[in-house]
Amino acid sequence: MRAMIAPNEDPQEVYQTCVNSITDGDLRIRLNALKNVIGVAASDYHQRATAKQLYTLPPNDCGNEDIALGTVTKKELTTVYSTHMVGRAKPARAIYDSLLSRAPLGRCPFCGMGHASTLDHYLPKTKYPQLSVVPLNLVPSCKDCNTGKSIAVSSTAGDQSLHPYYDHQSFVDEQWLYAEVMHTAPATIRFYVQAPTHWDDISKARVQSHFRDFKLAARYSVEASNQIACLRDTLSRYRELLGAEGVRQHLMIEAQANYRQHSNSWQTAMFQALAISDWYCDRGFL
C-alpha cells in the first residue's frame, strides 16, 4: 500500500459541479436539495476514517430504483458519478482527472504495482450512494484492484482494507509483507503477511484483509516469476565470478535498495527471500 495525501476539494462544490451539468430540470432540482446532506455525509466519512471506523457507517441496501436520499433514487445518485463526473465532456471530469493524476508515480496505491487508470470508491457507491462523488472516498486505482475486490461491506474494524488517504505511519513504515522461495523449477515465490508483534490485533487483521481483498498473493507471485526469469543470466555471471556468496550479496543489495523505497513492496519481499535462500543462491536460479 502506498500512502497518499488526502484530497482537499470541497465535497459540496464537487457535487454541485456534477449536478450543474444535468439537463433534466426536475432531477437537477431534486439533487440540488441534497447538497447539504452530501456535505454532512462527507464530514461524517472523514471523522470515521480518521478514527479507523468506516466499518461503522451503515450501508444503504435499497434497490437502484428505490429512494435513497430525499426524493432521489439510488440510481440517480450513483449516475451523478458515472455520467456527470466520469463523462469526458462534463465539467467535473477535470476533478476526476486531477484526483487520478495524484497516484504516486502513476502507480495504484492499493497494490503498488498496477497503473492507476481509474478511481476506486473505497466504500462502494452501490452501498453508499451519498459518497459517490465525495473526493475522500475516491482513490486512484488500477483496474485489477478496482474490479477485483469484493463489494462486501466490512462488519468489523479488522475487516477493513487499508485506506491510502488515512492509513499511514506504521502501515507504511514497518514491514509486514514477506515472501519465501519455493524449490520449484523454475523457482517461484510465495508471499504472505506477518505483521510486527507489537501491533494491536486490529492492525494485524487489517493488513491480512488488505492482502486478501486485493488478491495480492497471486498477483505478486506472477510479477515475481517474471522478475526471476530476468535474473537468471545476471546471477549466473555473479556465480561464475564470485560464487554463491556473490549471488547473495547482489540480491541483498537489491533487497536493501527496494526496502529504502518501499518496505512493503513485492520487490522488497522477493529479494529478501531470494537472498536468504541457500538453495536459490547456489543453483536454484538456474
Side-chain angles (χ1 to χ4, degrees):
M1 200 274 292
R2 304 287 187 267
M4 294 184 62
I5 297 173
N8 61 4
E9 283 84 352
D10 185 308
Q12 289 179 288
E13 291 183 6
V14 172
Y15 178 76
Q16 191 68 66
T17 301
C18 294
V19 172
N20 286 346
S21 70
I22 295 174
T23 56
D24 183 325
D26 174 68
L27 176 58
R28 190 168 63 250
I29 290 172
R30 288 187 287 117
L31 286 168
N32 274 329
L34 297 178
K35 182 178 178 180
N36 289 336
V37 176
I38 299 302
V40 171
S43 178
D44 185 33
Y45 179 97
H46 175 63
Q47 292 175 13
R48 295 183 195 238
T50 301
K52 319 298 184 190
Q53 293 183 347
L54 280 176
Y55 75 98
T56 64
L57 191 62
N60 186 324
D61 292 318
C62 75
N64 282 333
E65 303 302 329
D66 295 332
I67 297 297
L69 285 176
T71 58
V72 179
T73 66
K74 177 181 284 189
K75 183 178 180 181
E76 288 171 332
L77 267 176
T78 57
T79 300
V80 172
Y81 170 80
S82 58
T83 299
H84 301 284
M85 189 174 193
V86 178
R88 293 192 178 278
K90 301 295 184 177
R93 177 67 192 210
I95 302 171
Y96 178 100
D97 289 338
S98 177
L99 293 171
L100 183 57
S101 72
R102 300 172 201 176
L105 300 178
R107 296 292 182 183
C108 172
F110 292 111
C111 65
M113 64 179 183
H115 170 60
S117 58
T118 187
L119 293 180
D120 174 72
H121 289 81
Y122 180 85
L123 292 183
K125 64 182 184 297
T126 56
K127 298 288 187 180
Y128 302 91
Q130 73 275 23
L131 301 172
S132 293
V133 297
V134 170
L136 290 172
N137 193 47
L138 298 174
V139 184
S141 171
C142 65
K143 283 187 168 57
D144 283 340
C145 285
N146 182 252
T147 61
K149 74 170 186 177
S150 170
I151 62 169
V153 175
S154 299
S155 58
T156 69
D159 286 340
Q160 300 173 111
S161 60
L162 302 182
H163 198 312
Y165 295 153
Y166 291 96
D167 294 317
H168 299 177
Q169 299 173 333
S170 58
F171 289 116
V172 174
D173 298 333
E174 298 185 62
Q175 187 170 3
W176 48 265
L177 178 65
Y178 292 89
E180 66 173 331
V181 179
M182 309 305 292
H183 295 191
T184 54
T188 51
I189 301 293
R190 183 183 78 85
F191 290 88
Y192 62 93
V193 169
Q194 182 175 303
T197 56
H198 65 272
W199 282 14
D200 61 80
D201 290 341
I202 291 176
S203 294
K204 291 177 180 177
R206 291 193 66 197
V207 289
Q208 290 282 3
S209 296
H210 189 88
F211 188 70
R212 179 191 65 245
D213 290 349
F214 291 103
K215 303 176 178 62
L216 297 182
R219 293 170 61 196
Y220 286 167
S221 184
V222 170
E223 295 298 317
S225 293
N226 282 288
Q227 182 68 64
I228 285 174
C230 296
L231 285 172
R232 179 173 178 172
D233 289 344
T234 298
L235 297 184
S236 294
R237 185 60 174 158
Y238 270 97
R239 191 177 187 283
E240 289 175 9
L241 295 173
L242 302 170
E245 190 57 30
V247 172
R248 189 188 313 280
Q249 289 301 316
H250 173 73
L251 293 170
M252 189 58 70
I253 290 171
E254 290 289 342
Q256 292 169 349
N258 279 280
Y259 182 88
R260 283 192 290 269
Q261 291 295 313
H262 299 290
S263 59
N264 291 297
S265 70
W266 67 265
Q267 296 98 323
T268 294
M270 180 196 72
F271 279 114
Q272 288 175 340
L274 295 177
I276 64 174
S277 171
D278 292 337
W279 171 81
Y280 184 81
C281 290
D282 184 19
R283 300 186 65 84
F285 60 84
L286 295 175

